[in-house]
Amino acid sequence: MYPKLQLAYLSTLFERNEGEEFIDFAIKLYAENEPQLLLPFLRKTAIYDIAKAIDICEKKQYINEMVYLLGRSGNRMKALDLLVNKLGRIDSAIDFCRENDDSDLWNSLVDAAVKRPDHIMELLNTAGKYVNPLNIIEKIPEQMNIPGLRNLLVTILRDYELLVQMQRGSLQVTEADSNHLFTKYLSNRKCSTFISFEQCCIVCRITVLLEREKSTDCRHANCDIIVYDCGHSAHIRCIYVPHSDGQTVMESRCPIYKEPKEEGNSSVDGDTFDSEKLKKENE
């Protein structure tokens, strides 16, 4: 009774985010009275019983709506079969496979498309970027006459040759950049590091180069010095730290470098200790 009035009332409810319990009933009303509005409604609304909606569309033979619902429910193979065999829309089937990006779907589409010459041409012309054209060509039945196939294959081969040339060019650019960066890295590694008499150890804060007359008053008088690539320097004995296994080893990274510790991990490792901790342990 008055289905269009009911639809208008339900639409008003849905716009106010109300009446969710009537969504399945609204789908039935759309299917029976406003079929052109059914698919937009299904796309816009997510809260409905997909099985009931599929049953309604199947009874009415609404193929496009069934394809959408089957895709949402995960039954993509059946949706693809409807597109190819019921609607005969190879272009829509290609778009469907592209959206889902499933290798099994592409294989099923190829198997279905090789039965018709026009579908083969459409698939080779459109889906060549997503499917290996050789897989399509190998499945073409013998003695099948396909108008325009030769010219299309020539175009595909030219496109492939262009792609190979682009990949080679990209590889050459990458190799040139890598060589340039590696040369720059080697050049930086050869640079000298200046150490002044005022430069201090980053752990104990005592100057790393001691004047001769003051050297006898410091425990670092005869201590070796390590200089990091970052420019910091430290006494060798200042950067020996205890590890969780009880051994004391020299830290290879600059103690200034510090990262947050993981929760529950209290051990000292190469990435989590700092200069203050080292200083306390060496006092």
Side-chain angles (χ1 to χ4, degrees):
M1 181 181 293
Y2 305 110
K4 292 188 177 181
L5 184 60
Q6 290 176 322
L7 277 176
Y9 174 72
L10 290 176
S11 297
T12 303
L13 283 181
F14 298 151
E15 289 175 358
R16 291 157 45 185
N17 295 324
E18 299 177 2
E20 292 182 358
E21 63 272 19
F22 301 114
I23 289 181
D24 292 333
F25 179 64
I27 292 175
K28 183 179 179 181
L29 290 177
Y30 275 115
E32 293 177 350
N33 301 278
E34 298 287 350
Q36 71 278 6
L37 300 178
L38 177 57
L39 185 56
F41 179 75
L42 293 174
R43 293 182 182 275
K44 182 175 64 175
T45 308
I47 308 174
Y48 53 83
D49 191 326
I50 294 181
K52 290 182 179 179
I54 291 175
D55 184 60
I56 292 172
C57 295
E58 190 172 8
K59 290 179 180 178
K60 296 290 184 179
Q61 287 298 299
Y62 295 156
I63 305 300
N64 289 324
E65 289 76 4
M66 287 182 62
V67 169
Y68 172 74
L69 292 171
L70 289 170
R72 275 200 58 189
S73 64
N75 195 352
R76 293 190 289 267
M77 288 296 182
K78 186 175 181 179
L80 181 65
D81 179 70
L82 290 176
L83 285 171
V84 176
N85 298 319
K86 285 285 186 179
L87 293 179
R89 295 290 304 275
I90 190 68
D91 54 340
S92 298
I94 292 173
D95 292 337
F96 182 77
C97 292
R98 187 186 297 120
E99 291 174 1
N100 290 276
D101 193 21
D102 187 341
S103 59
D104 292 334
L105 277 180
W106 283 113
N107 292 333
S108 298
L109 178 59
V110 171
D111 293 337
V114 294
K115 299 176 183 178
R116 292 178 51 178
D118 55 335
H119 285 180
I120 294 175
M121 293 293 292
E122 183 74 19
L123 191 60
L124 285 172
N125 192 36
T126 307
K129 298 178 181 178
Y130 307 95
V131 182
N132 188 349
L134 185 60
N135 294 338
I136 303 174
I137 296 171
E138 289 177 344
K139 294 183 179 181
I140 296 177
E142 296 182 4
Q143 307 302 325
M144 176 180 282
N145 184 24
I146 306 177
L149 179 61
R150 179 179 179 181
N151 294 334
L152 182 58
L153 292 178
V154 171
T155 302
I156 292 174
L157 291 175
R158 287 177 179 173
D159 291 343
Y160 180 75
E161 183 180 4
L162 180 61
L163 177 62
V164 171
Q165 292 177 357
M166 292 177 59
Q167 290 176 341
R168 287 176 179 172
S170 299
L171 179 60
Q172 291 175 356
V173 172
T174 302
E175 289 179 347
D177 289 344
S178 299
N179 291 334
H180 172 71
L181 292 175
F182 186 65
T183 302
K184 185 177 180 180
Y185 169 75
L186 292 179
S187 177
N188 291 336
R189 294 290 292 178
K190 295 177 182 178
C191 294
S192 60
T193 301
F194 175 76
I195 302 177
S196 66
F197 279 99
E198 290 77 19
Q199 188 164 343
C200 297
C201 171
I202 56 176
V203 179
C204 66
R205 301 302 178 186
I206 298 175
T207 55
V208 292
L209 296 178
L210 300 177
E211 297 180 12
R212 186 177 299 275
E213 59 272 14
K214 298 180 180 180
S215 61
T216 56
D217 299 329
C218 180
R219 65 190 182 96
H220 298 305
N222 298 318
C223 181
D224 292 331
I225 299 170
I226 186 171
V227 181
Y228 298 98
D229 287 341
C230 58
H232 297 118
S233 56
H235 298 109
I236 289 292
R237 66 180 61 181
C238 289
I239 58 175
Y240 276 91
V241 294
H243 278 224
S244 56
D245 56 2
Q247 296 182 354
T248 302
V249 297
M250 186 181 71
E251 179 53 47
S252 59
R253 292 190 179 185
C254 177
I256 295 296
Y257 179 76
K258 183 180 179 182
E259 289 183 353
K261 291 183 181 180
E262 295 181 1
E263 293 185 5
N265 183 12
S266 59
S267 62
V268 178
D269 55 33
D271 293 338
T272 57
F273 72 99
D274 55 24
S275 58
E276 294 299 326
K277 187 174 185 66
L278 282 173
K279 184 176 179 180
K280 292 179 181 179
E281 292 174 351
N282 283 277
E283 289 178 350

